[in-house]
Amino acid sequence: MEYTLKKKEKKISTTNQTCTNPCCFFCTMKEPDTSLRSVKIANFFQEMPLRDDHEHVLVLSGLWNIAMTQPNDPTFPSLGIFNCMASLIYKGVNSRDNWLVRHQNIYIPYYAAHVIGSYTMKKVECAEKAVDSGVIPPLMELLRGKMSWVEQRVAVRALGHLASYERTFEAVAVYEEEVVNLAMQLASTCLDVVYGNFVGVKEKTKRLKYHSDLLTRGSVLGGLEMENRKAEEWASQLQCWSLYLLNCFACKERSLNLICKQDFLIDLCTMWGGLVNHQKSPAGIGLIRILCYSQIGRKNIAECEVVIENLCNLSRSSDDWQYMGIDCLLLLLKDPDTRYKIIESATLFLVDLVELDSLIDSRPNLGESITRALLLDHNKQKTKLKFKNKKFEKALEETWELKVDRRKREKMLSEEKIEERRVLVGLIKQEAKNLFLLGDVEEAVIKYTEALEICPLKLKKERMVVYSNRAQCHLLLRDPDASVRDSTRALCLSTANSHVKSLWRRSQAYDMKGLAKESLMDCIMFINGCVRSDTNKRVKIPYYATRMISKHMDSTWLFAKAKSKFSSSSLQVNKVQESCGDRKSKKEDQRYDEMMRMIIEKKSLISSLSTIIEEPILHVKKGNRIELEKARRGKKAVARSM
């Protein structure tokens, strides 16, 4: 136990001594005769679960490396590796002779489940062999929380792969209700569990040692910082894989009544996805989008105001999944049963996107699709339907004027007329700029509005600048909603949210509204735009932008909510573990507790699990907004930005 796994693997690979073990896996792998090697490996996989060998963990670690680097190689799956891994997991979770606490066997269930997941990741044939080998029952034991969140992560990953194939889905669906409930519970509580069991435990000696070793692969460098960073990544993956498993059922419209519970739908809105784990997982919004393709899903989502509000905010953000938020709203608007439940709230957001051309990696002409959805029954709404929200009615009328009436009128404009208007717009814009510098911001807004009314739709660049400048005026007038609207309209006229000034102005507006995530995403995009536009070798990132990011890092941190929960009350770790799911019986509870106690006492994996210690909070002063103060004084720097 005094050596880490990494050191032992190195020792095994570099030793020059002759091996005297006739059943050595590493010697078997060196057998030059292919047929004989296959026979020996198959025999080894059969015998491995029956033996109590202190080198088992090294073999599992080696198999894990092979499975990670060569997941498409069918050799080991054809020789019985799935039967072997299933038996080892069973041996771990049902250990009655303290097998799990001997040697370094505590690592084996994790590696075994990881090997299963890697080999079933891309090949349906391997997935079928895994199912036939009986891997699902032991994986379910890990998913139920028989060990810890670390094993749950690899178990839900493997089950997600098996559920993703048509040929093996039904084998997972045998446990449908339990799987769905466990996956929902994991997705909603895993961040609390990981923070309570690991990240929130500041003292290294009070963390489960085998968790630390797995997270860092035995590296002595990095310490707590490396462990925390990796734990954050794994927690995000655990959440994403749980949602992926739910996606497999939602795509087939299975268990929708369970998945569409209002509390869980609200939780989905806070699940970001791949920002931490470097994956392209759409996480919560991805599952919401899948649900919107079903009648049951649309009905439940339309009745949840919190979800609609989050979808609306997402549709006007620079998040990678902006188009998914738009798609969800369009699906709800096109369904007659849900259209009039959300149209008033959704329209006030979507009207700002009617001139959106396309988004990166998504379908083009999104603006036209939005326009058609909003004006689907415009005449009927005017004559028969009455709405209490006057802003909604005004927004629809403005959309009709912009996308229908004005288009028809401007078709008759000649090139000379368009050029005349371009010049006139420039003059009015200069007047507005002068008024702004003199401090008459309200009059500047009126002038910018006048410029927009006469500026032809074809002059997208000119209209983009006017919208953006008017957004700056709204910021000074402390009207963040109007600033968000104008900034969004300016960004729709740019190439895929690329106008940096509008991004920064919208980031400030979202900050005023208290929407930290949206403000942070716009600020990040703003910095990216500054970096791309700066041709100098030494790129200078504006201080005010870094200050905005620092301000929102704490509130948007993956464990922000978990940290606040543990800060408000000194919860015991065992209470956090209980939130993962109930075990079948008190007898099993006692056996599990006894096993973990022995691990703790005999292997010195942890000294105490009862104390949760907070990490220091980074306090950032709010400060005054530099841009606003400069504008009020009429500084030249702001004048150049107009």
Side-chain angles (χ1 to χ4, degrees), residues 354-357 365-369 371-372 375 398-413 455-458 460 463:
V354 293
E355 293 191 89
L356 181 62
D357 183 18
N365 301 320
L366 268 177
E368 294 302 315
S369 300
T371 302
R372 286 193 295 271
L375 303 177
E398 288 178 354
T399 304
W400 182 271
E401 163 65 20
L402 179 70
K403 300 293 287 184
V404 180
D405 293 342
R406 191 167 173 179
R407 265 185 181 178
K408 291 179 181 178
R409 292 197 304 269
E410 292 189 3
K411 279 185 178 180
M412 307 302 294
L413 287 178
C455 188
L457 298 178
K458 290 179 65 175
K460 290 188 176 183
R463 294 176 65 237

Side-chain angles (χ1 to χ4, degrees), residues 116 120 126-128 130-132 134-141 143-144 155-183 241-242 244-250 252 254-255:
I116 294 171
T120 57
C126 287
E128 288 182 297
V131 169
D132 293 339
V135 301
I136 292 180
L139 289 174
M140 286 297 301
E141 291 288 275
L143 187 67
R144 293 178 184 121
V156 75
R157 169 179 177 257
L159 289 169
H161 291 324
L162 296 175
S164 66
Y165 301 112
E166 287 287 340
R167 297 188 217 170
T168 54
F169 171 80
E170 289 300 332
V172 180
V174 169
Y175 304 88
E176 181 170 348
E177 185 175 350
E178 185 182 13
V179 166
V180 170
N181 279 319
L182 286 171
W241 280 117
S242 300
Y244 181 77
L245 183 55
L246 292 173
N247 265 312
C248 295
F249 286 89
K252 298 181 182 298
R254 303 276 290 263
S255 295

Side-chain angles (χ1 to χ4, degrees), residues 574-616:
N574 60 350
K575 291 183 180 179
V576 179
Q577 291 173 334
E578 287 172 7
S579 67
C580 296
D582 296 328
R583 297 179 179 87
K584 283 186 176 181
S585 65
K586 291 183 179 180
K587 185 177 179 181
E588 287 188 352
D589 281 349
Q590 293 170 355
R591 184 174 58 82
Y592 176 81
D593 292 341
E594 178 65 18
M595 181 182 71
M596 293 307 295
R597 185 186 64 78
M598 294 183 68
I599 294 172
I600 292 169
E601 292 178 356
K602 293 188 177 182
K603 294 300 180 182
S604 301
L605 297 177
I606 190 171
S607 58
S608 173
L609 288 174
S610 60
T611 306
I612 303 296
I613 301 177
E614 294 181 51
E615 290 187 332

Side-chain angles (χ1 to χ4, degrees), residues 263-399:
D263 290 343
F264 183 65
L265 291 177
I266 293 172
D267 286 345
L268 286 177
C269 298
T270 63
M271 300 178 191
W272 275 38
L275 292 180
V276 175
N277 59 20
H278 312 297
Q279 295 180 358
K280 285 293 182 181
S281 168
I285 182 60
L287 181 53
I288 290 175
R289 187 193 190 199
I290 294 296
L291 295 174
C292 283
Y293 282 103
S294 66
Q295 185 68 40
I296 296 175
R298 289 193 297 271
K299 177 181 178 296
N300 284 275
I301 289 171
E303 293 173 353
C304 189
E305 293 183 7
V306 176
V307 176
I308 298 302
E309 181 182 353
N310 276 274
L311 290 175
C312 289
N313 286 329
L314 178 61
S315 70
R316 291 194 312 186
S317 74
S318 52
D319 192 291
D320 286 345
W321 310 120
Q322 177 189 3
Y323 77 94
M324 286 196 177
I326 296 172
D327 278 353
C328 291
L329 294 174
L330 292 181
L331 288 167
L332 294 169
L333 287 172
K334 291 175 182 177
D335 185 347
D337 294 330
T338 57
R339 177 178 177 81
Y340 298 106
K341 293 180 181 179
I342 72 155
I343 190 168
E344 291 188 57
S345 54
T347 297
L348 296 177
F349 289 79
L350 292 179
V351 289
D352 300 328
L353 303 168
V354 293
E355 293 191 89
L356 181 62
D357 183 18
S358 63
L359 293 170
I360 298 174
D361 298 329
S362 69
R363 67 174 188 273
N365 301 320
L366 268 177
E368 294 302 315
S369 300
I370 293 169
T371 302
R372 286 193 295 271
L374 294 179
L375 303 177
L376 186 62
D377 48 7
H378 180 256
N379 293 329
K380 179 181 177 182
Q381 290 170 1
K382 290 177 65 176
T383 57
K384 296 183 179 181
L385 300 177
K386 293 184 179 181
F387 296 93
K388 297 179 181 179
N389 194 332
K390 297 299 180 184
K391 290 183 179 180
F392 157 70
E393 293 182 348
K394 182 180 178 182
L396 273 187
E397 289 303 320
E398 288 178 354
T399 304

Side-chain angles (χ1 to χ4, degrees), residues 355 357 368 401-403 406-423 425 451-467 492-494:
E355 293 191 89
D357 183 18
E368 294 302 315
E401 163 65 20
L402 179 70
K403 300 293 287 184
R406 191 167 173 179
R407 265 185 181 178
K408 291 179 181 178
R409 292 197 304 269
E410 292 189 3
K411 279 185 178 180
M412 307 302 294
L413 287 178
S414 63
E415 291 298 324
E416 292 79 7
K417 285 287 185 182
I418 291 176
E419 188 58 34
E420 287 178 10
R421 291 196 181 186
R422 185 200 301 270
V423 175
V425 167
L452 286 170
E453 288 173 352
I454 66 170
C455 188
L457 298 178
K458 290 179 65 175
L459 303 180
K460 290 188 176 183
K461 185 176 180 180
E462 287 79 2
R463 294 176 65 237
M464 177 187 70
V465 173
V466 175
Y467 271 127
C492 287
L493 293 168
S494 67

